[in-house]
Amino acid sequence: MAKRAKLRGLSLFANVGIAEAYLKEIGVDMLVANELLPERARFYQDVYPETHMVTGDITDDKLRTAIVNEAKKKKVNFIMATPPCQGMSRVGKMDKDDVRNQLIYYAVDVILRLKPEFVLIENVTTILTTKIKVDGKEMLIPEYLKGVLGEDYVFNSQSKVRAMDYSIPQMRLRNIYLLVRKDKNITWEFPARTPIVTLEDAIGNLPDVDPYLRDGYDVTLAHFPDFERKKAAAAAVSKWHRPPVHSWRLVEWMMHTPTNDSAIFNPVHYPRKTDGTRVSAHYNQYRRLAWNTPCRALTQNNGVISSLACVHPGRPYTVNGEVLYTNPRVLTIYEVMIVSSLPLDWPIPEWANENLIRKVIGEGIPSRLIKVIVEELLSKI
């Protein structure tokens, strides 16, 4: 007879299951999940066929009741809730009236109706200073959570955590509440930190990849004569270590941009509009990452050179006395998987396009961070 998992889980705001990637192997069965967007729900279901996916809007009372009923039927004792952060994120608009900020209310409703033994609630750290309206009263989200759930649950003493503190090659700072139902008499805190892993450690030995230029194949070969050789060497590592597609203008700017620097500081090859006007940009846009630190936090736009700090660190080389830098491109999907600590054999559906893959991984919490946090709980049960 198969051993029953210690944790039987429900995933709210499940995205495509980035957070769940290692849970099965450590003895956690995620039995029910809810995701609003059908395309993401389909992605999740392809990766986790044994999970019962409830697709739809959690603010809908009938759908939320369906989630609760299914979770009761499966005897769920663990809830993981990762509400959208775009309304609170510093890389978003930080709109205090963004309706997505209110979604935590519906997660709490599910928690109160199920009363699971353990709960994990994850979001950006600005959740600590974000207010929502509950019954016409405005209050800070932490005040709301502890006010409503504090009678039945013990919260962890420190809720801020960095992925880089657990040997994950991405800085990503998050706020994670760990809740234990009081009758369990267990303390659930973050585990002891482990050594930092830099980008050099994580991706420094991978084959170089030249970008495919949107300007055409002939133009690509004219600028990158070794394109096909590098592409083949990269494909031998993984089908996901493939050339990103960029316009030559942006690639040329990045070829002249040193490691850990932004093209906006280049004296000649700086970002400019088609009329030659200098582009006004944040100092972390058009920026190459650094080799000697973990990757900066990924965003959903990690496939766009002009986004925040998502360009490969590169290495210097000289042509006719001019110093240029290799890999003038964003990280490949394979490199994105590595810095997000996803299993490298994670079964990404074949039908998913590159934009979707990058977006869902960029929005997801690094998989191994959830693994080590949940393992800490399992060691106490």
Side-chain angles (χ1 to χ4, degrees), residues 268-310:
V268 177
H269 297 278
Y270 51 81
R272 66 188 79 196
K273 300 176 183 178
T274 52
D275 64 1
T277 306
R278 183 186 286 268
V279 170
S280 177
H282 187 274
Y283 66 87
N284 273 332
Q285 290 179 289
Y286 304 96
R287 176 174 286 279
R288 283 190 182 265
L289 295 159
W291 282 119
N292 61 351
T293 67
C295 182
R296 290 171 180 263
L298 292 177
T299 70
Q300 62 178 347
N301 293 321
N302 61 76
V304 181
I305 283 178
S306 60
S307 191
L308 298 177
C310 59

Side-chain angles (χ1 to χ4, degrees), residues 338-352:
I338 290 173
V339 301
S340 297
S341 66
L342 275 163
L344 297 183
D345 60 351
W346 197 61
I348 297 173
E350 291 295 333
W351 57 264

Side-chain angles (χ1 to χ4, degrees), residues 159-170:
S159 60
K160 287 185 181 181
V161 61
R162 298 186 305 177
M164 63 184 284
D165 288 331
Y166 294 94
S167 303
I168 295 164
Q170 186 179 163

Side-chain angles (χ1 to χ4, degrees), residues 3-8 19-30 78 80 120 188 343 367-381:
K3 186 177 180 180
R4 193 180 193 190
K6 292 180 179 179
L7 296 182
R8 301 175 300 281
E20 288 94 314
Y22 292 100
L23 294 186
K24 184 71 174 179
E25 75 175 50
I26 64 173
V28 179
D29 285 342
M30 299 305 289
F78 168 58
M80 180 165 60
L120 184 155
W188 187 14
S367 312
R368 202 158 62 239
L369 179 58
I370 294 298
K371 178 187 178 185
V372 299
I373 290 172
V374 174
E375 279 182 321
E376 181 71 8
L377 171 61
L378 292 173
S379 72
K380 304 287 183 69
I381 300 176

Side-chain angles (χ1 to χ4, degrees), residues 85-103:
C85 67
Q86 287 89 339
M88 303 176 233
S89 175
R90 296 186 191 280
V91 299
K93 295 182 179 180
M94 295 190 71
D95 179 4
K96 67 181 182 65
D97 296 319
D98 191 311
V99 294
R100 289 170 293 189
N101 296 347
Q102 295 283 147
L103 290 174

Side-chain angles (χ1 to χ4, degrees), residues 68 72 76-79 108-119 148-149 151-153 181 183:
V68 169
K72 284 181 178 178
V76 160
N77 64 353
F78 168 58
I79 290 179
V108 168
D109 179 64
V110 173
I111 293 168
L112 290 172
R113 290 164 71 178
L114 287 174
K115 291 280 175 49
E117 296 171 355
F118 310 103
V119 179
V148 175
L149 298 174
E151 183 175 339
D152 296 313
Y153 291 91
R181 208 172 63 199
D183 65 298

Side-chain angles (χ1 to χ4, degrees), residues 204-237:
N205 64 342
L206 292 178
D208 289 346
V209 173
D210 289 330
Y212 182 86
L213 299 181
R214 193 169 280 115
D215 313 66
Y217 183 68
D218 291 342
V219 179
T220 300
L221 291 185
H223 290 293
F224 301 106
D226 288 337
F227 174 81
E228 288 294 348
R229 180 185 62 79
K230 291 182 179 180
K231 179 182 175 183
V237 172

